[in-house]
Amino acid sequence: MNPLHHDHVAHEHDFSLSASSAELDALATWRDSPRVQQPSWPDESERAAVAAQLRTAPPLVFAGEADQLSARVAAAARGEAFVLMGGDCAETFAESTADRIRNKIRTILQMSAVLTYGASMPVVKMGRMAGQFAKPRSGDTETRDGVTLPSYRGDAVNGYEFTEASRTPDPHRLWRMYTTSASTLNLLRAFTTGGFADLREVHAWNQGFISGPGFDRFESLARDIDRAVRFMAACGYDFDALRSVEFYAAHEALLLDYEEALSRIDSRTGQIYDCSGHFLWIGERTRQLDGAHVNFMARVNNPIGVKLGPGTSVDDALRLIDRLDPERRPGRLTFITRMGADKIRDRLPALVEGVRDAGAKVAWVTDPMHGNTITSSNGYKTRRFEDILDEVTAFFEIHQELGTIPAGLHMELTGDDVTEVLGGTGSIDEVGLERRYETLVDPRLNHQQSLELAFLVAEMLSQR
Ligand code: PEP
Ligand code: CO
């Protein structure tokens, strides 16, 4: 091998860890901005020690992968692809098992096959996975039977169990977040490049699921895909290209201690990337213009998202664009709107129009989950499938009317047969929620409900 060539390759993948770089230091200025939703770590020296350990650990993703994803998101913003993001509200360490991870990936692959086949559209696949371990909470504390303890902020911060020991934030959990993300990502890469995701396995993805409308419809679609694949193979098409699929990891960049410690300088470009995941977003509760999260995200070059709730003004959106995407780089910025089915028709049009008229190129993605959370009469935090569908429908209609592009879907889902969301073809009712309600935070669509939604979205997409 040409030693020069070898050097060059090695150099391209060599992330400089020089913490003395001024830009990397500037990342830490988030600490000078007002910050919300950060845990109070009991011992600052322990936190600093864990951060130092993370700073020398290998990055979880490479900058080149993040750039490739930016290009994919840019295509979606132009209407040439469709983004599908899905996964748990909150991953947990205990459930980051091979089975659970495989089931989630399989559900996303099946949804993606439905969308690709139904709408003849490439799907950009992202898991809310390998880093979705921290949650913003409405209160800093929780009181049960007169006892007040810190709120559960996700496994990256504290334990769910309601005891003082478990609820006390522990910075060593940040290291566990890193190792669990690494093992999850490792399996994800194995599944998506090792043949499991091969479209020729489309029938196998449906195995092990109980028969039902989603199952049957998918079987029939899988037969169609099979036939098309066999036809193309007979024509001499090389299907080894289907063995691996691109599948990206996304999470909310909530814990800035962690995100900062996983940021690296890309030696190809000298730019900073947050190498904890490919795509990062900031939430509805952490998107303050002068706040720590916006400060931090403005300095990393990943494709990023911002959640926008019903209170967002056009001015808010334009200022976020100026701060986070001053160069108007296609694929850089995604707005993930989560208005609620009852508000989207009233709130979204003005926002999309204002951004369009300002000439900004963002990708519009709908999150039909977080604006539609309710409490059932028997006390479960849940959502109605019909509200979720209604918000997605409105999202497509609004973009159709404005001549803009609905670029994707952001979902809370699992590959298992849980009962957390009301309705769908399985007709889960309030009593039915009790059967298998497992989420620690927000309710997720189960496997059948996810497929059902994918079929409905495929119809909307193909009519676009
Ligand atoms: C979430 O995605 O789980 C979340 C907390 O969303 P939002 O920031 O939109 O409330
Ligand atoms: Co959630």
Side-chain angles (χ1 to χ4, degrees), residues 88-90 128 132 135-136 252 307 367 369-370 373 381 383 410 412 441-443:
D88 295 308
C89 180
R128 267 178 79 112
Q132 183 56 22
K135 299 308 300 171
E252 176 172 353
K307 294 282 204 91
D367 162 1
M369 315 300 291
H370 289 89
T373 313
K381 192 176 185 188
R383 294 165 175 144
H410 181 112
E412 285 184 345
V441 197
D442 288 341

Side-chain angles (χ1 to χ4, degrees), residues 150-155 157-163 165-168 173:
S151 295
Y152 172 64
R153 291 189 169 275
D155 276 12
V157 175
N158 54 3
Y160 186 72
E161 198 195 342
F162 196 72
T163 62
S166 148
R167 286 292 173 94
T168 303
R173 285 175 169 271

Side-chain angles (χ1 to χ4, degrees), residues 346-364:
D346 184 40
R347 309 291 161 85
L348 186 61
L351 213 52
V352 173
E353 246 174 337
V355 169
R356 180 197 64 191
D357 295 347
K361 291 181 179 56
V362 304
W364 292 100

Side-chain angles (χ1 to χ4, degrees), residues 66-131:
D67 287 347
Q68 192 168 45
L69 179 56
S70 293
R72 303 290 182 252
V73 174
R78 291 193 303 268
E80 295 160 14
F82 192 71
V83 170
L84 175 64
M85 310 178 72
D88 295 308
C89 180
E91 292 175 286
T92 63
F93 298 151
E95 297 214 327
S96 296
T97 61
D99 281 354
R100 296 276 183 160
I101 294 165
R102 185 201 52 225
N103 291 353
K104 255 181 286 182
I105 294 172
R106 185 166 54 182
T107 299
I108 296 170
L109 288 174
Q110 284 188 284
M111 292 177 79
S112 152
V114 169
L115 291 168
T116 307
Y117 194 75
S120 302
M121 179 81 87
V123 173
V124 184
K125 296 170 272 295
M126 287 190 233
R128 267 178 79 112
M129 285 170 85

Side-chain angles (χ1 to χ4, degrees), residues 425-439:
T425 43
S427 297
I428 297 168
D429 59 12
E430 292 204 336
V431 177
L433 292 177
E434 290 166 12
R435 226 168 33 240
R436 209 177 146 189
Y437 189 96
E438 296 179 0
T439 183

Side-chain angles (χ1 to χ4, degrees), residues 288-304:
Q288 299 79 9
L289 266 179
D290 57 353
H293 290 79
V294 168
N295 179 343
F296 178 84
M297 294 289 259
R299 297 172 196 276
V300 299
N301 279 273
N302 305 56
I304 61 170

